[in-house]
């Protein structure tokens, strides 16, 4: 029997570059994602093809040696299969999967996390989450695959969001304890826009790792002063401890992390109070901090955010994801979307020589089977 699975991309509303610093993040799953038509074959053979991607991943669950493939996309499902092998019956759990996606690759909407989580659900033949514990375990395993097998040093946010998000809600995740809660996200009268700068995210990995180690360095400096009361991650630091860091660049990095973590809590309070103006303002403040303190934005993201916040009907805007290109989001009065696009897109295109894609989105479900 043919089964159809779907794993969404994600947009992080606020809490950027926070997951690997042990703080709070607030992502939603979006309508765009990766769909899969799957036929279980009862054999040890796995075959995965993806429309628009080169080649076919072929794995024999009994004989595979898990050498990495030259086609980058294949290593995500291959890694997941490798790490899940101890949990399945390798002689009968094979399948044939045809993937199709409307998620732009490399645009900061987590196409890789979607592919990992999707593969895990297909391989485990889990139509939906059997339990929340399963969903969390899968997110953790997929992060491990990305860190160890694919070799990207990401945090847990993306895999957790793809696995655990819920429609009409944002997911408030504490990346240290992995405690989470759902916060209603249905901005009545307002719409969330995703704007793809179409700037390729070159240097993302190296700069990402650089930021990560700068945060470790800042943490070490704080702990040096804390003597026998060390903290485990930067998000546990008090704003007043910033004085322990004398090196200006590290001070800026830590300042972003600590203030961003506060902003996430403030954003949740604003959502609960349905205070959309405050929520929008926090989005914009987050962007300025990512631009000035964390330095991960760049010309294209700054241009689209500057144009957005000046457009009438926009309550706030910011980059989302790792930065250095990719996507930004904006909260806009629904009746003014047409006007907003007229004000932002032509000016962005003119300033950058690129073409801005804009779509309206809302909070959707995490990975699921389509009936
Ligand atoms: C990428 C990583 C995430 C997270 C964000 C920045 O999307 O995969 O783990 O660190 O960047 O918030």
């Amino acid at each position: 029997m043919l089964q159809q699975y779907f794993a969404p991309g994600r947009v992080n509303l606020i809490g950027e570059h926070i997951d690997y610093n042990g703080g709070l993040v607030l992502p939603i799953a979006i309508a765009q994602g990766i769909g899969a038509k799957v036929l279980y074959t009862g054999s040890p053979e796995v075959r995965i093809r993806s429309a628009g991607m080169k080649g076919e991943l072929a794995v024999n669950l009994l004989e595979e040696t898990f050498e990495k493939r030259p086609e980058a996309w294949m290593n995500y499902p291959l890694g997941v299969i490798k790490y899940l092998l101890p949990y399945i019956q390798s002689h009968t759990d094979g399948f044939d999967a045809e993937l199709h996606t409307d998620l732009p690759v490399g645009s900061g909407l987590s196409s890789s996390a979607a592919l990992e989580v999707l593969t895990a659900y297909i391989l485990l033949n889990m139509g939906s989450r059997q339990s929340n514990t399963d969903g969390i375990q899968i997110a953790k395993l997929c992060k491990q695959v990305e860190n160890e097998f694919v070799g990207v040093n990401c945090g847990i946010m993306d895999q957790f969001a793809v696995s655990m998000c819920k429609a009409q809600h944002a997911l408030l995740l504490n990346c240290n304890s992995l405690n989470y809660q759902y916060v209603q996200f249905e901005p009545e009268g307002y719409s969330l826009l995703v704007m793809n700068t179409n700037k390729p995210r070159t240097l993302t990995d190296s700069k990402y790792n650089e930021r990560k180690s700068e945060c470790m360095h800042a943490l070490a400096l704080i702990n040096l002063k804390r003597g026998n009361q060390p903290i485990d991650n930067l998000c546990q630091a008090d704003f007043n401890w910033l004085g322990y860091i004398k090196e200006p660049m590290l001070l800026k990095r830590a300042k972003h992390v600590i203030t961003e973590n506060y902003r996430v809590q403030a954003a949740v309070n604003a959502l609960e109070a349905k205070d959309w103006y405050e929520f929008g303002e926090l989005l914009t403040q987050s962007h300025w901090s990512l631009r000035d303190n964390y330095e991960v934005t760049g010309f294209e993201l700054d241009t689209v955010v500057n144009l957005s916040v000046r457009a009438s009907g926009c309550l706030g805007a910011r980059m989302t994801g790792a930065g250095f290109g990719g996507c930004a989001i904006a909260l806009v009065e629904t009746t003014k979307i047409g006007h907003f696009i007229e004000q932002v897109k032509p000016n962005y295109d003119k300033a950058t020589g690129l073409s801005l894609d804009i779509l309206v989105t809302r909070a959707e479900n995490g990975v699921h089977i389509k009936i």
Side-chain angles (χ1 to χ4, degrees):
M1 194 182 75
L2 199 68
Q3 303 228 37
Q4 297 206 50
Y5 290 81
F6 182 78
R10 69 93 191 92
V11 152
N12 188 22
L13 296 177
I14 193 162
E16 217 65 84
H17 288 276
I18 286 295
D19 57 356
Y20 55 84
N21 284 303
L24 301 171
V25 295
L26 193 67
I28 60 169
I30 59 175
Q32 289 68 32
I34 309 178
K37 287 184 184 154
V38 181
L39 195 64
Y40 289 97
T41 54
S43 77
E45 301 290 336
V46 168
R47 288 179 185 280
I48 305 178
R49 290 169 300 283
S50 180
M53 293 289 185
K54 222 175 112 204
E56 175 184 81
L57 174 67
V59 171
N60 183 310
L61 295 173
L62 295 172
E63 292 165 9
E64 176 63 44
T65 53
F66 296 102
E67 292 296 311
K68 279 174 88 172
R69 306 294 202 264
E71 295 83 2
W73 74 268
M74 292 185 188
N75 292 315
Y76 299 96
L78 183 64
V80 172
I81 294 169
K82 177 176 180 189
Y83 281 61
L84 276 179
L85 209 52
Y87 304 99
I88 60 165
Q89 300 186 356
S90 41
H91 55 289
T92 55
D93 280 346
F95 60 85
D96 211 279
E98 189 85 49
L99 312 185
H100 48 95
T101 181
D102 56 359
L103 261 187
V105 175
S107 61
L109 300 178
S110 284
S111 53
S112 46
L115 184 51
E116 289 154 6
V117 172
L118 179 72
T119 309
Y121 274 71
I122 294 173
L123 189 59
L124 294 171
N125 201 343
M126 267 169 53
S128 58
R129 276 201 300 281
Q130 314 287 299
S131 71
N132 287 341
T133 323
D134 289 343
I136 296 169
Q137 291 308 330
I138 287 175
K140 284 161 91 171
L141 182 132
C142 290
K143 172 188 181 276
Q144 202 186 350
V145 167
E146 184 136 353
N147 294 162
E148 295 170 6
F149 189 79
V150 179
V152 175
N153 233 337
C154 64
I156 185 81
M157 171 172 74
D158 302 344
Q159 292 79 6
F160 206 99
V162 175
S163 187
M164 298 294 289
C165 273
K166 189 163 111 174
Q168 287 125 35
H169 292 80
L171 172 84
L172 174 65
L173 173 66
N174 178 321
C175 299
N176 188 35
S177 62
L178 296 192
N179 289 337
Y180 64 97
Q181 72 186 72
Y182 296 106
V183 183
Q184 202 184 357
F185 183 73
E186 287 180 293
E188 266 170 52
Y190 300 97
S191 299
L192 188 71
L193 268 49
V194 179
M195 304 178 286
N196 187 352
T197 62
N198 280 309
K199 157 96 181 3
R201 297 185 312 149
T202 44
L203 285 179
T204 308
D205 286 352
S206 61
K207 290 280 177 200
Y208 187 90
N209 291 339
E210 197 177 287
R211 293 295 174 277
K212 231 177 140 171
S213 56
E214 287 160 359
C215 289
M216 297 304 288
H217 197 163
L219 175 66
L221 291 177
I222 290 176
N223 278 337
L224 211 59
K225 297 278 185 184
R226 301 262 315 148
N228 57 6
Q229 285 181 300
I231 50 171
D232 297 331
N233 58 60
L234 215 41
C235 286
Q236 288 169 353
D238 193 284
F239 191 78
N240 297 318
W241 304 349
L242 284 174
Y244 298 154
I245 306 171
K246 303 290 175 217
E247 211 280 303
M249 184 266 284
L250 294 181
L251 177 62
K252 287 202 291 184
R253 305 297 188 251
K255 196 168 164 196
H256 166 72
V257 172
I258 296 172
T259 58
E260 181 78 352
N261 200 39
Y262 288 149
R263 275 188 290 273
V264 179
Q265 192 54 64
V268 170
N269 296 344
L271 285 185
E272 283 169 350
K274 297 199 185 308
D275 186 345
W276 300 108
Y277 279 86
E278 171 69 5
F279 184 74
E281 181 55 35
L282 288 160
L283 297 186
T284 308
Q285 280 175 21
S286 165
H287 186 85
W288 301 153
S289 176
L290 288 155
R291 180 192 65 187
D292 300 335
N293 294 322
Y294 220 65
E295 299 180 280
V296 291
T297 56
F299 177 68
E300 292 77 6
L301 283 167
D302 289 338
T303 302
V304 73
V305 168
N306 282 329
L307 290 166
S308 298
V309 294
R310 273 192 245 130
S312 54
C314 177
L315 269 51
R318 62 180 288 274
M319 56 155 268
T320 187
F324 311 105
C327 288
I329 54 174
L331 188 68
V332 178
E333 272 177 57
T334 303
T335 53
K336 295 201 174 143
I337 292 178
H339 192 54
F340 174 89
I341 295 175
E342 274 167 28
Q343 286 174 290
V344 175
K345 181 175 162 54
N347 287 319
Y348 173 87
D349 293 2
K350 197 166 149 212
T352 61
L354 298 167
S355 176
L356 189 71
D357 290 323
I358 304 184
L359 52 95
V360 179
T361 196
R362 57 170 189 217
E364 300 283 355
N365 280 317
V367 62
H368 55 275
I369 201 156
K370 284 195 159 175
I371 306 162

